[in-house]
Amino acid sequence: MSPDDEATAHLLVTAAFHDAAASADERGDSSIGDFSRAVLRQFEECRHLEGALYAVVMKYAQEHASPDELAALQRWLAEVTGP
């Protein structure tokens, strides 16, 4: 995994949970908005997500990222989640 892969992955994680929080706020769903912001804060502090949250980012990337960005995310996920 290259530094560019890591930077791309971090941007996609940030975008996924920022967008989730904004969307929840628009719907008036403060619990989802608060959760998304908490996940984002935790990621910013430790650069780690828990379990199924990686799948949330992958789904976001599949919908919004370019093929190159998606490939970078997949390489990063393989590195951080292990075999």
Side-chain angles (χ1 to χ4, degrees):
M1 171 184 64
S2 74
D4 287 344
D5 289 349
E6 186 172 14
T8 298
H10 287 193
L11 285 172
L12 287 169
V13 169
T14 300
F17 289 103
H18 180 271
D19 285 3
S23 177
D25 290 344
E26 288 173 3
R27 293 188 316 270
D29 190 345
S30 63
S31 62
I32 297 295
D34 291 345
F35 175 78
S36 297
R37 282 185 285 280
V39 168
L40 190 51
R41 277 191 304 275
Q42 179 187 9
F43 180 75
E44 289 171 349
E45 290 174 8
C46 66
R47 299 292 191 219
H48 176 75
L49 295 173
E50 297 294 328
L53 296 176
Y54 288 108
V56 171
V57 175
M58 181 57 73
K59 182 174 189 251
Y60 177 87
Q62 289 169 337
E63 294 174 2
H64 300 284
S66 72
D68 288 342
E69 292 167 334
L70 185 57
L73 177 64
Q74 290 170 327
R75 288 188 295 271
W76 178 76
L77 286 172
E79 179 84 18
V80 298
T81 61

